């Protein structure tokens, strides 16, 4: 898994999210914002990853972090996915790929022997000042959430 650490500032962005809300990066009250980009609602890997974030949610809150999932799915799809899994955090809808493009997560991938353009599973941690403090790209679902949480717990 590719990891990097940087102190780049992330440009503010807003996007629609579940619960009839609009996500805006600027002014997030949490010390850390965890954005996890995933390919598609209701697929096996994305379901497993979302459940892992759900199960660790109290620990993320104790580490002063809020979690947001992002994919190109519609708000309606996100509301259904969130309800079905009982997710305690909001999902951001990015059908125009504006946020995906900003974070550079759109990639050509092989699916059933064909080249398709889709989201590369990635996670980003942004601090309260809008600085990117950690990123994971090409994420494998197993143990990823524990690794993100471990990083957050190591922060002063």
């Amino acid at each position: 898994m590719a990891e990097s650490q940087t102190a780049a500032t992330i440009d503010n962005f807003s996007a629609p999210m579940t619960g009839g809300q609009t996500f805006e990066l600027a002014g997030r009250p949490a010390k850390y914002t965890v954005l996890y980009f995933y390919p598609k609602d209701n697929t096996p890997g994305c379901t497993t990853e979302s459940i892992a974030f759900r199960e660790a949610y109290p620990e993320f809150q104790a580490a002063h972090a809020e979690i947001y999932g992002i994919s190109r799915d519609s708000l309606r799809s996100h509301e259904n996915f969130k309800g079905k899994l009982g997710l305690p955090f909001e999902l951001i809808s990015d059908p125009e790929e504006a946020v995906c493009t900003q974070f550079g997560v759109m990639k050509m991938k092989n699916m059933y022997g064909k080249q398709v353009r889709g989201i590369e599973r990635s996670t980003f941690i942004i601090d309260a000042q809008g600085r990117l403090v950690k990123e994971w790209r090409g994420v494998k679902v197993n143990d990823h959430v524990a690794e993100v949480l471990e990083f957050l717990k190591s922060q002063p």
Side-chain angles (χ1 to χ4, degrees):
M1 167 177 20
E3 289 182 41
S4 69
Q5 194 160 353
T6 179
T9 300
I10 303 296
D11 289 336
N12 186 37
F13 66 90
S14 62
M17 68 179 174
T18 50
Q21 301 174 63
T22 299
F23 177 91
E24 184 140 349
L25 182 60
R28 289 272 114 205
K31 185 173 180 183
Y32 295 104
T33 298
V34 176
L35 298 176
Y36 76 96
F37 288 80
Y38 63 95
K40 189 153 183 57
D41 291 343
N42 295 303
T43 55
C46 299
T47 298
T48 299
E49 183 180 27
S50 295
I51 288 171
F53 274 114
R54 178 192 75 197
E55 295 303 307
Y57 186 69
E59 292 177 84
F60 276 91
Q61 289 201 300
H64 309 288
E66 283 298 330
I67 302 166
Y68 300 90
I70 305 177
S71 80
R72 298 180 298 172
D73 293 297
S74 68
L75 281 174
R76 183 178 193 169
S77 175
H78 275 350
E79 291 289 3
N80 291 337
F81 187 55
K82 182 182 174 203
K84 178 177 160 185
L85 299 182
L87 301 179
F89 49 84
E90 304 301 334
L91 301 177
I92 299 168
S93 177
D94 189 30
E96 305 297 319
E97 300 174 4
V99 182
C100 291
T101 299
Q102 181 176 343
F103 283 84
V105 299
M106 296 305 299
K107 304 287 181 195
M108 292 305 293
K109 306 185 317 187
N110 283 313
M111 189 173 289
Y112 308 112
K114 294 173 112 171
Q115 282 280 316
V116 296
R117 192 167 163 278
I119 292 176
E120 176 184 50
R121 193 180 307 280
S122 305
T123 301
F124 300 86
I125 298 176
I126 302 163
D127 70 12
Q129 289 73 45
R131 290 185 304 252
L132 178 64
V133 293
K134 186 77 171 170
E135 66 183 76
W136 291 263
R137 292 179 181 270
V139 166
K140 301 292 183 237
V141 172
N142 291 346
D143 300 322
H144 173 63
V145 170
E147 193 176 327
V148 174
L149 190 57
E150 188 177 311
F151 173 81
L152 283 168
K153 287 179 175 178
S154 75
Q155 297 306 292

